[in-house]
């Protein structure tokens, strides 16, 4: 929607300038016409030419002023920098991998919290990522009893949540699949919902992660029927899973 508004304004910039400057010229001619008509002297043509030159100068000045104002208006419109958004997504992916790698680490929860706090300036004791996500993630993936299950990133989806000046905020979800050398792992894929924000220079200013509950995980992992599937093609629901 933001880009549509910006494109709409840009596409109509020429019409706005032409109508505005044309109206200014017409108004000036209308106000000066009585003076020209009242003057029946031989130098009427010379005066008319002089007035036309003056009006053309005013028109050019007005058009330049409108172009400047229009440029400022477009610059103030809240647009989104697609290249920056791509860079922000890459930064968020790196942070997520660092957080979830803790499942295969031999560190304790406290040691992991300390290491992440030292590595990322936007994390701290007030960050729920450290105080809630890390302990829960390590416990759920077996890292609390030593090195737990290793995961690889299976899917990563991020959307822009808001653009406020030069500050961008995002929301996303990632699927992490268990890695097993022998292929006998019974661990399930895990889903992590995360939000983050970046500043003007593209650095991450905040990051919060939440592990999806078992019920949410099963719902996300369940195959979805195509939109054209009829009710008779829908399998009967199985027993519900606990969150």
């Amino acid at each position: 929607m933001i880009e549509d508004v910006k494109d709409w304004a840009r596409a109509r910039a020429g019409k706005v300038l032409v109508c505005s400057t044309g109206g200014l010229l017409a108004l000036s001619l209308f106000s000066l016409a009585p003076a020209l008509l009242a003057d029946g002297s031989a130098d009427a043509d010379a005066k008319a030419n002089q007035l036309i030159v003056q009006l053309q100068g005013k028109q050019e000045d007005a058009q330049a002023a409108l172009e400047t104002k229009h440029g400022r208006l477009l610059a103030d419109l809240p647009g989104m920098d697609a290249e920056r958004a791509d860079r922000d997504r890459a930064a968020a992916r790196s942070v997520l991998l660092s957080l979830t790698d803790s499942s295969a680490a031999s560190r304790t929860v406290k040691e992991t919290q300390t290491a992440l706090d030292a590595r990322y300036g936007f994390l701290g004791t007030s960050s729920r990522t450290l105080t809630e996500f890390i302990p829960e993630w390590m416990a759920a993936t077996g890292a609390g009893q030593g090195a737990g299950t290793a995961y690889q990133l299976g899917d990563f989806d991020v959307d822009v949540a808001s653009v406020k000046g030069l500050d961008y905020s995002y929301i996303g979800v990632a699927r992490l699949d268990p890695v097993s050398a022998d292929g006998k792992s019974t661990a399930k894929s895990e889903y992590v919902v995360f939000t983050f924000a970046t500043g003007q220079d593209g650095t991450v200013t905040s990051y919060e992660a939440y592990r999806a509950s078992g019920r949410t995980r099963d719902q996300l992992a369940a195959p979805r029927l195509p939109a054209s599937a009829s009710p008779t093609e829908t399998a009967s629901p199985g027993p519900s899973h606990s969150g």
Side-chain angles (χ1 to χ4, degrees):
M1 180 63 70
I2 292 174
E3 290 301 322
D4 291 343
V5 172
K6 194 170 183 178
D7 292 340
W8 182 92
R10 183 182 292 109
R12 287 157 178 78
K15 293 182 180 180
V16 171
L17 292 174
V18 170
C19 292
S20 300
T21 54
L24 178 62
L25 178 59
L27 180 61
S28 299
L29 288 173
F30 179 80
S31 61
L32 293 172
L36 289 175
L37 293 175
D39 190 351
S41 63
D43 62 346
D45 289 342
K47 290 183 178 181
N49 292 333
Q50 184 179 0
L51 288 173
I52 290 174
V53 172
Q54 292 176 356
L55 290 174
Q56 288 176 339
K58 292 180 179 179
Q59 180 185 10
E60 292 173 357
D61 292 342
Q63 184 170 351
L66 285 172
E67 287 176 347
T68 300
K69 186 175 182 179
H70 178 69
R72 290 174 180 172
L73 175 63
L74 290 181
D76 291 340
L77 285 175
M80 188 188 77
D81 185 340
E83 292 184 359
R84 171 180 165 178
D86 289 339
R87 293 194 298 270
D88 289 348
R89 290 186 179 97
R93 181 178 179 275
S94 178
V95 174
L96 177 71
L97 291 175
S98 296
L99 297 176
T100 55
D101 276 350
S102 59
S103 63
S106 57
R107 294 171 176 168
T108 64
V109 171
K110 184 176 181 180
E111 290 171 339
T112 301
Q113 291 172 323
T114 301
L116 289 171
D117 188 10
R119 180 175 182 180
Y120 297 112
F122 49 85
L123 297 178
T125 55
S126 61
S127 170
R128 295 178 62 181
T129 295
L130 287 185
T131 60
E132 295 181 17
F133 172 76
I134 289 299
E136 180 185 357
W137 174 258
M138 294 183 70
T141 57
Q145 295 78 39
T149 303
Y151 289 86
Q152 63 183 3
L153 188 60
D155 195 16
F156 185 79
D157 187 23
V158 180
D159 288 324
V160 178
S162 67
V163 176
K164 296 181 179 178
L166 297 175
D167 296 328
Y168 286 31
S169 61
Y170 303 82
I171 184 170
V173 62
R175 188 190 80 243
L176 295 114
D177 301 325
V179 178
S180 175
D182 56 10
K184 297 179 180 179
S185 175
T186 59
K188 294 183 178 181
S189 295
E190 294 284 345
Y191 288 84
V192 177
V193 179
F194 55 94
T195 60
F196 67 99
T198 61
Q200 178 180 355
D201 58 357
T203 57
V204 178
T205 57
S206 65
Y207 199 107
E208 297 295 341
Y210 312 87
R211 175 179 171 267
S213 66
R215 178 178 306 214
T216 301
R217 176 195 61 205
D218 292 343
Q219 291 174 344
L220 290 171
R224 297 183 179 180
L225 291 173
S228 58
S230 63
T232 57
E233 296 173 334
T234 305
S236 59
S240 60
H241 298 274
S242 61

